[in-house]
Amino acid sequence: MTRFAFTIEFDGGPYMGWQRQAHGPSVQQAIEYAIAKMTGERATLHAAGRTDAGVHALAMRAHTELDKAIDAFRLMEGINALLRPQPVAILDCQTVPDDWHARFSCIGRAYEYRIANRRAPLALEAGKAWRIPQPLDAEAMHGAAQRLVGLHDFTTFRSAHCQSDSPVKTLDRLDVRREREHVILEVAARSFLHHQVRSMVGCLAQVGLGRWSADDLQAALEAKDRAALALNAPPEGLYFVRAVYP
């Protein structure tokens, strides 16, 4: 068998998330169906991370194994042709060693969250950013965000449905910057809890609005209690941007 690694871009709006679901369409299901239609094989995709309904990806990594002898470029072209017009695209396809695993070989993951900080409704970015009409103080958000960097118990920022063995994670980076009418948050870690990024963004938005201080954010972190959370940011502003491998 040959192991193929994919780099995948997708708009998460029409899907229930990355993972195959019984109650609605998923990105994994769409790609696996295209592979089966092209090769006649029932392949299973393993991804670097799972994304919730409505979350997007600029460069998700995934792999599968196939018996069929096929060129990686031809496989990519065939899958893309069969995926159309769905908003999913294979950006790159390569053969990899049998011990390479999209999830377990991954040593770092990065996300970006996009806030459209403007009064007007979103036309071009509808479903692609979280619109907050009130002015946000991006500098205050960045300063407060540094309280979350490092090794912490992130129970407050963890979904009740999270399947991780431990709420303790090391956050490598959480930067906030303004680009004209957008506030961009960049976050990186080896791994994340379910809803961790969206929960952190929701609390940092309260800092940007002047409703919370950095100390309030610190208190929420130290509470280790989901009830201390301000709110969960909506999924449409979140993008999986990078998986890091040795």
Side-chain angles (χ1 to χ4, degrees), residues 3-245:
R3 183 165 293 198
F4 294 92
F6 303 103
T7 302
I8 307 161
E9 176 184 87
F10 60 82
D11 172 358
Y15 303 100
M16 301 301 296
W18 164 268
Q19 192 172 11
R20 190 188 304 108
Q21 305 284 338
H23 58 284
S26 70
V27 179
Q28 179 186 16
Q29 180 184 39
I31 300 172
E32 288 176 350
Y33 178 80
I35 293 173
K37 193 169 183 180
M38 180 180 181
T39 67
E41 296 183 43
R42 188 172 181 177
T44 299
L45 278 172
H46 304 273
R50 298 174 181 177
T51 57
D52 292 331
V55 176
H56 317 293
L58 302 181
M60 175 62 76
R61 300 300 304 280
H63 81 268
T64 194
E65 291 183 330
L66 295 172
D67 282 319
K68 186 179 183 67
I70 186 169
D71 176 74
F73 179 78
R74 180 167 170 258
L75 178 63
M76 177 180 70
E77 291 287 281
I79 295 172
N80 281 335
L82 292 165
L83 281 169
R84 290 195 288 267
Q86 297 187 73
V88 181
I90 309 299
L91 305 180
D92 184 66
C93 177
Q94 299 179 357
T95 57
V96 290
D98 292 342
D99 61 351
W100 189 91
H101 196 285
R103 178 184 174 191
F104 298 120
S105 299
C106 185
I107 60 171
R109 295 162 177 86
Y111 287 86
E112 179 176 290
Y113 197 95
R114 300 178 183 177
I115 299 174
N117 192 203
R118 73 184 209 184
R119 294 290 303 175
L122 300 181
L124 298 179
E125 286 189 290
K128 303 294 192 300
W130 179 20
R131 183 179 72 91
I132 298 180
Q134 301 88 351
L136 290 171
D137 185 339
E139 290 186 8
M141 292 170 68
H142 177 78
Q146 305 321 298
R147 304 281 187 102
L148 302 177
V149 175
L151 178 68
H152 300 288
D153 181 327
F154 284 99
T155 296
T156 299
F157 305 95
R158 177 188 193 182
S159 165
H161 303 292
C162 182
Q163 298 178 357
S164 179
D165 293 334
S166 170
V168 178
K169 295 288 181 182
T170 298
L171 193 64
D172 296 326
R173 184 166 65 92
L174 179 48
D175 294 331
V176 185
R177 72 180 190 278
R178 175 172 287 280
E179 291 184 356
R180 297 184 180 178
E181 64 178 17
H182 291 84
V183 174
I184 310 296
L185 297 92
E186 296 178 334
V187 55
R190 185 179 185 93
S191 61
F192 293 90
L193 301 168
H194 188 211
H195 283 183
Q196 183 181 347
V197 177
R198 289 170 55 196
S199 295
M200 294 189 300
V201 171
C203 290
L204 287 169
Q206 298 304 296
V207 175
L209 292 167
R211 298 170 184 169
W212 275 28
S213 67
D215 288 340
D216 291 326
L217 182 68
Q218 181 84 36
L221 173 67
E222 293 175 356
K224 302 174 187 176
D225 184 354
R226 187 70 174 170
L229 183 74
L231 67 125
N232 230 17
E236 58 263 26
L238 185 59
Y239 295 75
F240 183 98
V241 298
R242 184 170 60 257
V244 181
Y245 296 91

